[in-house]
Amino acid sequence: MANKPANRAAFEIQAGYCTAMDAPITARVCTALAEALDRDSDTGRRVLDWPGEPVADALALRLVGGLHALHRAGLDPTLSAVFSGAETDPSRVSATLKGTLVARDAALLPWLDGPPQTNEAARSAGMMTGILHLAERYGPRFEVLEIGSSAGLNLLIDRYRFDLGGVTVGPDTSPVTIRPDVADPVAAARLAAYVWIDAVERQARLAAAIAMVRAGGVDLVEGDAADWVEAQLAEPQPEGVTRVLMHSVVWQYLSATSRERIRVAMDAAGARATVERPLGWVMMEPNRDLHRHEVRVRGWPGDRAMELVALTHAHGAWVEGLSPPYETRDYVMRRGAYEKD
């Protein structure tokens, strides 16, 4: 059932996330949208009548992505003044967005149809941290399976160069070096629209990563995540290679049924895993209470539970490796965040 106050409040919540991640323009847009939303457009009515969980569904980022795409297309100078940061007066920002929702209704409405496309190559820094933990246990050869595959950006993980606090991996000649740095927190068209206007370096990194995908290609499959994971885990596995399921900021978008099917499939595959054919699970998913993401790792064979091995910025600006003993607990998805049982 739709909850209009909660749907409107989701934009204020997203504004808080953006402020915490040094994205003041996007924060200002989200704050203004919380006020500007009304029933004068199909887009506004659909947002206010949203039937799901607005925060877990990233409702605010769906609409902000559409507005950013309009700015990038140069279709509305008044809107572009907001996204460039030239217009900062709250009442005028709100009025501009209110007018845009009506004037560009048909263009904006489809952006609500699906969740934001994960768009940040630097998130692979968190997943590489998890993979390195598995490499210590099982060796350096990996077969990576990814759900919610970021248009292939993170499937280039073996082609990126990483500098993780002095630990360097990947080819020296890579055109993309991912060097998470807490001092420097901060890009096709749909991906770029989901990269916040404030994040200039992210946009440049995305452009370089897209060029790598176009030049070298990756194996992308469109389909149901649980069906795909079950099928991949049933495929023969080479000896001496660790098969790894990885994902970043995708668990919240899966249904409870899909999440449970994946858990069951991984547990079953883990029970079959051997020293010659190990299995790993690396996840980078949000802790929304603390405005950070958690990197958790599990490997088979072995009886170690899922371990929290690192904390990371949502866009890979920094990664903090943790020291043992690692926190272990079952993970439960509620409203798009991990919570303790």
Side-chain angles (χ1 to χ4, degrees):
M1 177 179 293
N3 184 332
K4 295 181 181 63
N7 292 341
R8 194 182 295 275
F11 289 81
E12 294 283 6
I13 293 170
Q14 183 61 54
Y17 298 156
C18 295
T19 298
M21 290 186 281
D22 299 317
I25 295 175
T26 308
R28 186 182 303 123
V29 169
C30 290
T31 297
L33 282 170
E35 177 185 343
L37 285 164
D38 57 29
R39 307 189 69 82
D40 291 345
S41 65
D42 288 339
T43 301
R45 288 189 290 272
R46 188 173 175 191
V47 169
L48 293 174
D49 294 341
W50 192 259
E53 296 285 355
V55 175
D57 294 342
L59 179 59
L61 293 182
R62 299 184 190 209
L63 183 51
V64 171
L67 290 164
H68 189 194
L70 289 176
H71 158 65
R72 290 176 59 85
L75 299 176
D76 188 331
T78 305
L79 178 66
S80 288
V82 171
F83 273 86
S84 69
E87 179 59 81
T88 62
D89 180 81
S91 62
R92 289 197 287 268
V93 171
S94 181
T96 294
L97 296 177
K98 189 186 293 283
T100 302
L101 290 173
V102 174
R104 304 292 178 177
D105 194 14
L108 289 170
L109 190 61
W111 286 83
L112 301 178
D113 289 343
Q117 171 67 57
T118 303
N119 51 60
E120 181 47 67
R123 281 181 175 158
S124 59
M127 290 187 287
M128 177 58 80
T129 301
I131 287 174
L132 290 174
H133 276 265
L134 292 172
E136 289 182 354
R137 303 184 207 176
Y138 305 126
R141 298 180 62 202
F142 288 87
E143 173 191 81
V144 173
L145 311 175
E146 186 184 17
I147 52 175
S149 61
S150 308
L153 299 182
N154 290 324
L155 289 174
L156 296 172
I157 194 166
D158 63 328
R159 295 176 238 175
Y160 294 148
R161 179 71 173 169
F162 294 90
D163 182 348
L164 304 173
V167 177
T168 56
V169 293
D172 294 332
T173 57
S174 176
V176 173
T177 296
I178 295 175
R179 185 180 292 110
D181 182 354
V182 71
D184 187 16
V186 331
R190 186 171 180 84
L191 285 180
Y194 286 127
V195 177
W196 299 346
I197 185 69
D198 319 77
V200 176
E201 288 202 9
R202 288 182 60 209
Q203 294 166 7
R205 185 165 52 239
L206 177 59
I210 288 174
M212 289 178 68
V213 171
R214 289 172 173 168
V218 291
D219 183 12
L220 292 174
V221 177
E222 182 177 356
D224 178 83
D227 288 347
W228 186 81
V229 169
E230 290 168 348
Q232 293 299 307
L233 293 176
E235 289 291 317
Q237 180 176 345
E239 183 175 345
V241 174
T242 303
R243 175 173 282 169
V244 179
L245 174 67
M246 72 178 191
H247 51 85
S248 62
V249 200
V250 69
W251 206 238
Q252 70 194 62
Y253 299 125
L254 301 180
S255 68
T257 299
S258 291
R259 293 195 297 265
E260 183 60 22
R261 284 176 59 192
I262 293 171
R263 274 196 293 262
V264 169
M266 289 295 288
D267 285 340
R272 301 190 301 268
T274 65
V275 173
E276 294 77 20
R277 292 175 175 83
L279 177 70
W281 192 348
V282 175
M283 59 173 63
M284 175 189 158
E285 297 292 346
N287 181 324
R288 298 194 181 280
D289 293 336
L290 301 179
H291 294 219
R292 66 187 184 187
H293 285 53
E294 301 176 343
V295 180
R296 295 183 177 270
V297 175
R298 187 173 181 184
W300 297 266
D303 57 4
R304 292 158 66 173
M306 186 77 77
E307 296 177 320
L308 177 62
V309 300
L311 305 174
T312 180
H313 183 277
H315 303 140
W318 54 265
V319 178
E320 177 189 353
L322 302 178
S323 299
Y326 302 114
E327 173 189 303
T328 61
R329 61 174 168 86
D330 291 336
Y331 47 91
V332 177
M333 279 295 303
R334 296 192 186 97
R335 300 179 184 272
Y338 285 110
E339 297 179 5
K340 293 184 178 179
D341 289 329

